[in-house]
Amino acid sequence: EPGGSVPRDPLEFSRLVDRWSSLGLPLVVELTLPSSDASDPLARSVIAPMPHVLPDGWSAAAQQAWVERNVPVLLAKPAVHALLWNQCADSDPHDYPHAGLIDAAGRAKPALNTLARLRREHLQ
């Protein structure tokens, strides 16, 4: 779809990763999730996130909630060797609207804090 894919619940997401795992190759998962569905003047892409896929729209809280629900699923999969967030900050020109972990003002979004916490809890 232009603008991404429909969010999946954690069980469906887990099954999708299991299907990819059946290839017998290490998986490197690249994540890109918006924190807003508003216009983004620094985004190179004119494709906005899919509208109306979340009841309250995309927000920093929705981005963080997705990370909280789904990244532990990825961490539990032996075939997943790396997780990469596609875009660091929204302050420089970027490919995807509002998909960074640091907002345009240079503040960490809640998703970054959640990723850091999950890393401390599960990877150290």
Side-chain angles (χ1 to χ4, degrees), residues 15-39:
R15 289 178 180 153
L16 183 61
V17 173
D18 289 343
R19 190 172 315 133
W20 293 333
S21 298
S22 70
L23 296 172
L25 300 170
L27 298 177
V28 176
V29 179
E30 186 174 299
L31 300 172
T32 306
L33 292 159
S35 61
S36 172
D37 35 24
S39 175

Side-chain angles (χ1 to χ4, degrees), residues 10 33 58-72 110-111 114:
L33 292 159
W58 283 105
S59 65
Q63 183 189 52
Q64 185 275 335
W66 189 97
V67 168
E68 185 73 41
R69 280 189 314 273
N70 291 286
V71 168
T114 299

Side-chain angles (χ1 to χ4, degrees), residues 37-51:
D37 35 24
S39 175
D40 184 346
L42 292 175
R44 291 183 192 104
S45 172
V46 295
I47 298 174
M50 292 178 70

Side-chain angles (χ1 to χ4, degrees), residues 63-103:
Q63 183 189 52
Q64 185 275 335
W66 189 97
V67 168
E68 185 73 41
R69 280 189 314 273
N70 291 286
V71 168
V73 171
L74 293 169
L75 294 176
K77 302 292 183 178
V80 175
H81 286 226
L83 299 176
L84 304 173
W85 197 272
N86 187 41
Q87 182 172 301
C88 182
D90 294 337
S91 57
D92 296 318
H94 45 271
D95 291 330
Y96 302 101
H98 304 290
L101 292 171
I102 300 169
D103 69 17

